[in-house]
Amino acid sequence: EAGVTQSPTHLIKTRGQQVTLRCSPISGHTSVYWYQQALGLGLQFLLWYDEGEERNRGNFPPRFSGRQFPNYSSELNVNALELEDSALYLCASSLVERLDNEQFFGPGTRLTVL
Amino acid sequence: AQTVTQSQPEMSVQEAETVTLSCTYDTSESDYYLFWYKQPPSRQMILVIRQEAYKQQNATENRFSVNFQKAAKSFSLKISDSQLGDAAMYFCAYTGNQFYFGTGTSLTVIP
């Protein structure tokens, strides 16, 4: 069974640009989560989608947004990129919308903002 | 606000020995879940063990066990009979109304 996949693997952008990251959950999983993993800061929760709806949002500005498609894949959009947005962006999926559910993580997208 | 603190950025253990990784959290919620995730050098994180806050019994998964002290808001991970494959970054995580991860502990296993 294929795991969570993310694309692209690496991305280099300049300040002010916009970026879209993509995530495909494990087949059958309806919940998708996005995290930012900046150096030394651990994982910071960004967004949680389930059944196409945004269920929760972390403490990030509105220029971080996303959506979930009918096939449960998801996009994370970041507008007006800033240098501090440089990080590994991890996507995770879980079987159902339950807080105690194990999250399965993808390999991440490494974003570098110059 | 909820926070998760891992006070040990790096730990090392001899192969076959036991090591304990510390985690404390702060919350005002009564219903929540705690997790330990492992992130090997290949980067994909995997679940090690999970604990429901309403359960007093400590969770155990083979060589991995937790010491959950709800009143002290402490959730440590014990790895017994450490193996080379246990070398990874370990993250403590809290799930209540949101998801919070600690900053991680890098575990080195010495042959």
Side-chain angles (χ1 to χ4, degrees):
Chain A
E1 180 183 281
V4 176
T5 59
Q6 293 186 244
S7 63
T9 305
H10 296 88
L11 208 49
I12 298 175
K13 293 285 188 178
T14 56
R15 285 180 60 189
Q17 285 189 309
Q18 178 265 342
V19 69
T20 297
L21 311 181
R22 294 177 176 83
C23 171
S24 292
I26 290 172
S27 177
H29 285 194
T30 64
S31 273
V32 170
Y33 313 81
W34 286 97
Y35 294 90
Q36 182 193 68
Q37 187 177 16
L39 198 61
L41 291 180
L43 275 74
Q44 306 291 315
F45 167 67
L46 272 162
L47 290 159
W48 173 20
Y49 291 97
D50 185 79
E51 297 284 359
E53 301 286 329
E54 182 180 300
R55 296 301 186 198
N56 210 334
R57 180 184 180 85
N59 189 25
F60 280 84
R63 58 191 186 83
F64 287 84
S65 65
R67 56 180 173 167
Q68 186 179 33
F69 298 98
N71 67 354
Y72 303 115
S73 67
S74 177
E75 284 182 351
L76 173 68
N77 298 293
V78 188
N79 294 321
L81 283 167
E82 300 179 2
L83 296 178
E84 52 265 33
D85 296 334
S86 294
L88 181 69
Y89 287 83
L90 291 172
C91 172
S93 72
S94 68
L95 189 57
V96 292
E97 186 191 0
R98 279 178 49 176
L99 292 175
D100 64 334
N101 254 2
E102 174 181 358
Q103 294 184 25
F104 294 82
F105 286 81
T109 292
R110 173 72 63 186
L111 172 64
T112 301
V113 182
L114 303 176
Chain B
Q2 288 86 349
T3 58
V4 177
T5 302
Q6 293 180 249
S7 58
Q8 307 152 316
E10 297 178 343
M11 292 280 285
S12 62
V13 62
Q14 292 284 146
E15 196 175 2
E17 296 294 308
T18 296
V19 65
T20 298
L21 308 184
S22 301
C23 173
T24 59
Y25 59 94
D26 185 26
T27 184
S28 56
E29 296 176 318
S30 58
D31 190 19
Y32 53 88
Y33 301 89
L34 296 162
F35 305 81
W36 278 98
Y37 281 90
K38 168 185 175 182
Q39 188 178 37
S42 64
R43 294 187 304 177
Q44 273 180 275
M45 281 218 284
I46 56 174
L47 178 69
V48 175
I49 198 164
R50 123 184 65 197
Q51 174 81 43
E52 291 89 345
Y54 62 85
K55 287 188 178 178
Q56 291 189 332
Q57 186 173 7
N58 289 326
T60 299
E61 288 286 343
N62 301 313
R63 298 182 294 107
F64 299 86
S65 61
V66 299
N67 183 6
F68 174 47
Q69 302 289 328
K70 191 172 183 178
K73 297 178 182 174
S74 170
F75 182 61
S76 60
L77 174 70
K78 185 172 84 171
I79 306 174
S80 304
D81 185 27
S82 296
Q83 300 175 359
L84 295 178
D86 294 334
M89 183 73 82
Y90 286 81
F91 291 94
C92 176
Y94 167 104
T95 297
N97 65 346
Q98 260 200 22
F99 307 95
Y100 299 91
F101 282 72
T103 52
T105 296
S106 179
L107 179 66
T108 300
V109 181
I110 303 166

